[in-house]
Amino acid sequence: MKVLIIGANGTIGKKVTAALKDKHEIIKIGKTSGDLQVEISESASIEKMFKKSGKVDAIVCIAGDAKWDKFDNLSEEDFYIGIKSKLMGQVNLVRIGRKYLNPGGSFTLTTGILADHPVDKTTSAAMVNGGIHSFVKAAVLELENGFRINAVSADLVEDAKEKYGEYFPGHTPVAMDKVTDGYKKSILGKLNGEIIRILPNFSRNLNMGDVFLLKLP
Ligand SMILES: NC(=O)c1ccc[n+]([C@@H]2O[C@H](COP(=O)([O-])OP(=O)(O)OC[C@H]3O[C@@H](n4cnc5c(N)ncnc54)[C@H](OP(=O)(O)O)[C@@H]3O)[C@@H](O)[C@H]2O)c1
């Protein structure tokens, strides 16, 4: 399978790429790193990337920015950072990517725990994650050519514990193999229209229709 991964050199992307690279052809994409570069907040850049990559079997986005700050400090422009990057960046990857996805192919987007359990300073980041969840549920009703679409929504991941741990008090980081399993479920499996939540345990409130990945002892 030919898999295009945006954010392939990031904390999560690196592990997802490593988990797939032996059996699949990976096109690694970054903002500055990788085989090809893209700025997902710009449609022209997305179109240029796909023209270079050609058709693929899976389009995976593990990238997207949003500004973190107190609601009091966030300006309208600050909110547009997340809207243009993590929200519309991923929507545009699907919108434009349909032309470059082989029949039966899949889109895998990335959101995160903040959609369901925001922490301090995340009015913007939580909002765009929630927007992508709604987008996935609506897009699945209309996508053609056997395309599938899912979002992976992980809690704080183990490899980002040092960097972001202080922002997530009481959150137990999720093991990286559990995170990569979530992406595999979307890319290699049959799930469609799902928000694949990767949580360390069942201590949180659950929503009907959630998909969970459990590692039983
Ligand atoms: N870290 C966590 O605990 C966690 C948990 C749940 C969800 N998430 C979400 O998962 C995503 C990735 O997180 P991460 O921690 O792996 O991030 P990261 O380590 O900062 O890596 C981000 C990757 O995305 C690329 N990228 C960043 N901005 C881009 C843009 N505007 N256009 C194109 N590519 C861009 C980077 O390219 P370069 O390689 O060129 O720099 C890099 O490869 C984010 O959306 C984050 O919110 C993270």
Side-chain angles (χ1 to χ4, degrees):
M1 195 184 278
K2 202 169 182 178
V3 183
L4 181 143
I5 303 181
I6 296 147
N9 200 38
T11 308
I12 298 174
K14 221 180 263 177
K15 293 291 165 80
V16 173
T17 301
L20 295 172
K21 72 174 175 28
D22 289 344
K23 291 190 179 160
H24 304 279
E25 183 189 342
I26 312 291
I27 305 174
K28 293 191 238 170
I29 315 282
K31 193 172 179 173
T32 53
S33 67
D35 304 318
L36 296 172
Q37 288 71 48
V38 71
E39 171 47 67
I40 59 165
S41 61
E42 295 168 14
S43 290
S45 175
I46 293 174
E47 189 82 57
K48 205 166 141 192
M49 171 195 71
F50 280 127
K51 278 197 177 127
K52 286 184 185 162
S53 73
K55 287 203 163 193
V56 297
D57 302 299
I59 295 171
V60 182
C61 182
I62 318 176
D65 310 316
K67 178 144 184 184
W68 282 47
D69 207 339
K70 285 280 187 195
F71 184 48
D72 258 0
N73 297 338
L74 288 170
S75 66
E76 182 177 351
E77 285 307 312
D78 289 335
F79 272 92
Y80 288 139
I81 294 169
I83 290 170
K84 286 183 182 161
S85 178
K86 195 166 182 181
L87 180 58
M88 281 312 296
Q90 296 199 91
V91 169
N92 282 327
L93 279 169
V94 177
R95 196 177 59 78
I96 297 165
R98 288 175 298 176
K99 282 188 289 180
Y100 299 91
L101 191 60
N102 287 324
S106 67
F107 294 100
T108 302
L109 309 183
T110 294
T111 56
I113 185 72
L114 299 174
D116 302 312
H117 298 275
V119 295
D120 196 26
K121 302 184 180 172
T122 58
T123 48
S124 174
M127 177 190 76
V128 297
N129 282 349
I132 289 292
H133 287 184
S134 299
F135 170 71
V136 166
K137 289 184 200 166
V140 72
L141 305 176
E142 297 189 41
L143 285 176
E144 295 175 346
N145 293 327
F147 294 161
R148 295 182 300 106
I149 183 167
N150 300 291
V152 177
S153 178
D155 204 327
L156 173 67
V157 305
E158 186 69 44
D159 287 3
K161 190 170 65 179
E162 296 294 312
K163 203 169 164 188
Y164 301 121
E166 68 179 288
Y167 297 104
F168 291 88
H171 288 239
T172 307
V174 277
M176 296 312 291
D177 65 341
K178 204 166 168 179
V179 178
T180 55
D181 280 351
Y183 285 89
K184 279 185 185 171
K185 280 216 161 189
S186 177
I187 300 163
L188 308 175
K190 294 287 179 194
L191 292 181
N192 197 11
E194 302 284 357
I195 311 305
I196 303 170
R197 290 180 167 85
I198 316 291
L199 305 174
N201 52 46
F202 268 120
S203 66
R204 305 181 195 295
N205 296 328
L206 308 184
N207 299 319
M208 287 295 288
D210 286 353
V211 173
F212 293 95
L213 296 179
L214 272 180
K215 279 252 151 78
L216 296 174

